[in-house]
Amino acid sequence: MKKVLTLLSVAALLAVSCNREELAPSEGTPSLKGKTVLTISTGETKTTMGEVSEGKRPVYWANGDKVAVNGVVSEPLADLEANSASASFTFASVIDPPFNAVYPETIWKDDLSVKLPQQATSGILPLVGYGDAESLTVKPLTAAVKLSVKKYSGENPDLDKIVSVSITSEDTQLSGVFGIEFETGALTPYLNPVEEDRTVSIRPNLTLTETAKDLFIPVPAGTYNFKVRLTDIQGHFMEISTTSAKTFTAGEIKAFPEIEFLPTGTAIDVVITSAEDLIQFARDWNSEKWVSVVAQVANDITFDAESSAAFNATGGIGLKESYGDAKDNYFNGTFDGNGKTISGLKATVPIFKATGSDGIVQNLTIGDDCEFVFTQSNTAEANFGAAVNYHKGALENVTVKADVSLAPVEDVTQLTTLGGLVGRATVGTVKDCSFDGNLAAPAGFTTSKKLILGGLVAYLSNSGSISGSFLNGTILTEASVSSTDKTNPYLIVGGILGINSGGGSVIDCETTDHPTVNGHYGADGANELPGTIVVSTLISYHTAVGGIVGEAVKGSVSGCKNGASISIAMISTADANARYIRTGGIAGYNRSEASISDCVNSAKIVHRANPRLQTLGGIAGINGGSVSGGTNNGALSISTSSVSPYSGRLDYIGGIIGDNRSANVSDLHNTANLEISRVESTDGIDVRMGGVFGTNEAVLDGGTDKNIVNSGRVYLSANNSKVPSKTTLGYRLGGVVGYSTAAVRNVVNEGNVQMGKWSSGTPSNVSMGGIVGIGIDTPLSGCLNKGDVFTSSSTTAGNAFTATGKPIRMGGIVGGLSGASSISECQNQALVYMNATNNTDDPKEEAFFEGGIAGFVEGVAEQRITVSDCSWTYSAGNVGGRRGTCGGVVGYAEYADVSDC
């Protein structure tokens, strides 16, 4: 049967001293009173002290608390109300009185002794109770030292996190095994305590602020001198010693005055001078020799084949068996590389397998003669990085120059991540780091699960951050990813970060151009396409590639610059090979909970692919979130000489965003040229190309300062003998937006919109506009076009081409407009000219239409389209073509009203 005991607690009285070195009681002694109520729980919270009230500081029970009575551990508390001073504890077996009770349960040793921990927890004071009845009163077993610590007020902003506080006596036992008289609660120490028993410490992980925060450290009753040491996350420490012996009574809390943390020294526990030292350090940490440690590298470290094998055998520093595994032993110390370099290491494991939230790795270089080749064992999710596989700590000023790659493994069924520095980061930070090597996933690696590559970090899954860091190397993937999920990218590649899924941030990071990687494309794979970031594979159903981030599910990217040229060389030969490609100079896919701000792309991005759908943008391939303050200065192009295997083919390309689905866009400027050429496809072709947005389904508004601007050329020169099979398909080119289904306001185009002469085939179903190529349900207002809209290389007859089939529409503001649309207060200040011949004079279906404002406007009887308060001015006075229907305002209007133009 089960036994239920009710334990009552008592409250402590707190004393505060005014002398920095002295401690003294000033408000009395403790009195812990109250009843407790027990239910079964798996909670992990612990009993804590409440706020001082009338000189008393109460102790409350909390869910998850357990006690030991006569050596039997209770079930944990659950469903307690807040500030519960009493609780009943349930035991799985009958316990005979008298009852000897202790809290926490871990300090019980036997009927005559308890063991006070060397590693305590702030605010948790041991309690003891004794009695014959099933209602016991417990009281404090120890006293406590209170420290109120705040950030140093002078110039030292980096000293902001305390990871350890210890109290050490010269000759008095403070922890370890004590004799106990349960009836009185008196402790009896050893006469000659060993060194480790003269210390008690806590690990508060205390982030310091200008306001002091309290820490409580349990100490036994007695009279003794002691020294307090506070240590920060980088191993800097501050020491305070008492000047005379202090007397403590059980339950009493004595306090230091407020302390401003100002270190007086640095603790270095381990000095590493050789490869053998580093190997031994890994062994020692993994065998749990330390809870925390400060290690410093004193010399450059050189590995050979034998020492490389020995380091690989350690598995890396900080073991992580699997998620939630009790064997996890994250590195929670400080490892200072001291500006030194590791060279010659041929590794199959990272330097650190897992860093904990207190782990710091800094000031280290991994040389270019090192090499990391990781093997996915295919038994569980695998995260690989040269510096850290799984990262929860701080990585700062670390440079990896080594090549990092996956070993060829076929038929992988587990998620795999590969980062130049870090495989997966959660709450970890990466600051002022660099990857200068070559990151690669080889053709022999095949998987049906996600494959994620990041130049610095592959996977950011929580609130961590990457800041001030650089990609100076290259990324190449030729691996095959066979998943057919069309909603989520399964091949994800980012110059800085592969995927951000947990709300973390990428701040002030940069990639540089080293276009030394060659991707192979074409029907026989004989053509080479160089780049810094290259995706070259025959099989990847859904791909996302970004110069900074491949896919941003959540979180932010700000102040970043992409200078790394990107090449996508994927030629599909079967239906399941390459359907969806999303590429952006900053992010390939920016989802609804993600944001991009104040970023610049200056790199060339080239697609040589023939998928079902590809979206390409100077900032983002697809945007469903927020993009503000974005500038693209890098040329973008799509081209392929291979016929698409799909019945339909969609190409969306925008100077800023290829496919925009959000109204949260502002202050965007494209200065680069966009080009689509040699589009070999079936009659299902659909091209949407715009100087800022390829295709758009959200309200766009440049505001009063008209801050959505295109200054680059939008150019189409394609060979396609197939006429689009539907009127909803075709070629849509706009100075700002290629294809829009929402309002466009106060935007500006300064670049030319041009369709070149085709060497074969005939263009058809084309819509070209200075602002919008084609608009459906698109009110246009306050827009300004300064860029010429024309076909062929000039307006001379010699460059004319013949077009048959569906119409070609050209306008200074919009090529074609239909649905719930309108045009108001728009200005065109440039040429509109079509240099082409047509073999039919059909006035609507198979003709050319050019207008100073709109080429073709088609409403319906129930919903007419209005064109009002618009103007067209151009010094040469050119609106026209070799054949077709021309108008100074509108080339062709049906169910439309034109006024005040």
Side-chain angles (χ1 to χ4, degrees), residues 701-714:
D701 194 338
T704 56
D705 57 351
K706 296 185 185 301
N707 61 28
I708 296 177
V709 181
N710 172 56
S711 302
R713 184 179 76 158
V714 178

Side-chain angles (χ1 to χ4, degrees), residues 61-140:
W61 297 109
N63 290 324
D65 284 341
K66 292 183 286 187
V67 297
V69 176
N70 295 359
V72 180
V73 177
S74 72
E75 298 176 3
L77 293 176
D79 300 330
L80 283 180
E81 295 182 0
N83 300 335
S84 293
S86 63
S88 292
F89 289 82
T90 301
F91 299 83
S93 60
V94 175
I95 306 173
D96 296 323
F99 302 121
N100 298 324
V102 293
Y103 169 84
E105 79 286 357
T106 53
I107 70 172
W108 176 275
K109 189 173 187 297
D110 54 45
D111 289 335
L112 299 175
S113 57
V114 292
K115 186 174 183 179
L116 300 184
Q118 295 169 348
Q119 183 82 44
T121 302
S122 175
I124 298 182
L125 300 186
L127 306 174
V128 61
Y130 174 84
D132 294 326
E134 293 184 359
S135 178
L136 298 180
T137 297
V138 294
K139 56 188 177 182

Side-chain angles (χ1 to χ4, degrees), residues 432 466-470 506-510 557-561 598:
D432 299 334
I466 308 169
S467 61
S469 297
F470 291 82
V506 182
I507 307 166
D508 297 334
C509 293
E510 189 170 345
V557 179
S558 61
C560 294
K561 299 177 181 179
D598 302 321

Side-chain angles (χ1 to χ4, degrees), residues 580-640:
Y580 305 93
I581 302 174
R582 331 286 196 182
T583 308
I586 301 300
Y589 202 154
N590 194 56
R591 292 186 182 266
S592 59
E593 296 183 57
S595 66
I596 300 171
S597 60
D598 302 321
C599 292
V600 177
N601 174 60
S602 58
K604 177 176 66 175
I605 305 176
V606 177
H607 273 207
R608 297 294 182 267
N610 63 344
R612 173 69 177 87
L613 169 64
Q614 55 187 332
T615 58
L616 169 58
I619 297 296
I622 295 182
N623 174 54
S626 171
V627 179
S628 61
T631 300
N632 176 52
N633 302 319
L636 313 178
S637 68
I638 293 177
S639 173
T640 182

Side-chain angles (χ1 to χ4, degrees), residues 477-481 491 493 519-523 529 534-545 567-573 576-583 606-614 639-646 649:
T477 176
E478 298 177 302
S480 296
V481 182
L491 174 59
V493 182
H520 302 281
Y521 73 103
L529 188 65
V534 175
V535 177
S536 176
T537 178
L538 294 180
I539 300 177
S540 177
Y541 193 86
H542 194 176
T543 302
V545 182
S567 295
I568 310 296
M570 301 170 66
I571 301 302
S572 182
T573 58
N577 282 353
R579 275 186 176 253
Y580 305 93
I581 302 174
R582 331 286 196 182
T583 308
V606 177
H607 273 207
R608 297 294 182 267
N610 63 344
R612 173 69 177 87
L613 169 64
Q614 55 187 332
S639 173
T640 182
S641 59
S642 297
V643 176
S644 173
Y646 305 109
R649 168 75 180 278

Side-chain angles (χ1 to χ4, degrees), residues 56-329:
K56 297 181 179 181
R57 183 179 289 273
V59 173
Y60 299 122
W61 297 109
N63 290 324
D65 284 341
K66 292 183 286 187
V67 297
V69 176
N70 295 359
V72 180
V73 177
S74 72
E75 298 176 3
L77 293 176
D79 300 330
L80 283 180
E81 295 182 0
N83 300 335
S84 293
S86 63
S88 292
F89 289 82
T90 301
F91 299 83
S93 60
V94 175
I95 306 173
D96 296 323
F99 302 121
N100 298 324
V102 293
Y103 169 84
E105 79 286 357
T106 53
I107 70 172
W108 176 275
K109 189 173 187 297
D110 54 45
D111 289 335
L112 299 175
S113 57
V114 292
K115 186 174 183 179
L116 300 184
Q118 295 169 348
Q119 183 82 44
T121 302
S122 175
I124 298 182
L125 300 186
L127 306 174
V128 61
Y130 174 84
D132 294 326
E134 293 184 359
S135 178
L136 298 180
T137 297
V138 294
K139 56 188 177 182
L141 185 59
T142 68
V145 173
K146 176 191 172 189
L147 301 172
S148 297
V149 189
K150 64 182 181 179
K151 194 171 185 177
Y152 178 60
S153 58
E155 296 182 3
N156 217 331
D158 293 333
L159 305 174
D160 60 0
K161 189 172 184 180
I162 303 298
V163 296
S164 175
V165 179
S166 64
I167 292 178
T168 303
S169 171
E170 291 184 1
D171 54 12
T172 301
Q173 182 180 354
L174 304 183
S175 61
V177 177
F178 289 79
I180 184 172
E181 171 56 54
F182 280 96
E183 190 168 356
T184 63
L187 295 175
T188 303
Y190 289 113
L191 293 177
N192 298 303
V194 296
E195 181 179 356
E196 54 265 32
D197 288 344
R198 292 189 283 106
T199 296
V200 60
S201 64
I202 60 173
R203 292 184 60 78
N205 293 324
L206 177 65
T207 299
L208 298 178
T209 65
E210 288 74 15
T211 302
K213 298 181 181 179
D214 295 339
L215 301 172
F216 297 88
I217 306 174
V219 293
T223 301
Y224 44 86
N225 275 301
F226 60 89
K227 175 178 64 179
V228 176
R229 173 180 280 200
L230 300 92
T231 306
D232 76 357
I233 198 167
Q234 298 189 36
H236 308 306
F237 65 83
M238 176 182 184
E239 290 186 338
I240 305 168
S241 298
T242 56
T243 57
S244 60
K246 306 304 167 191
T247 299
F248 290 92
T249 302
E252 185 178 44
I253 301 175
K254 291 188 175 181
F256 275 101
E258 281 191 358
I259 299 170
E260 287 190 356
F261 179 67
L262 180 62
T264 55
T266 300
I268 299 175
D269 303 306
V270 178
V271 177
I272 297 172
T273 62
S274 65
E276 288 70 26
D277 286 349
L278 185 60
I279 293 165
Q280 189 59 47
F281 179 76
R283 291 169 178 162
D284 288 343
W285 180 271
N286 293 346
S287 65
E288 302 186 31
K289 179 177 180 178
W290 302 290
V291 175
S292 180
V293 67
V294 177
Q296 187 176 82
V297 179
N299 304 319
D300 289 338
I301 297 173
T302 301
F303 281 84
D304 56 19
E306 182 178 354
S307 55
S308 291
F311 185 80
N312 289 331
T314 70
I317 303 165
L319 296 177
K320 185 178 190 304
E321 300 300 325
S322 62
Y323 294 105
D325 197 303
K327 295 181 180 179
D328 289 354
N329 179 25

Side-chain angles (χ1 to χ4, degrees), residues 496-510:
I496 297 293
L497 170 64
I499 186 171
N500 185 356
S501 69
S505 57
V506 182
I507 307 166
D508 297 334
C509 293
E510 189 170 345

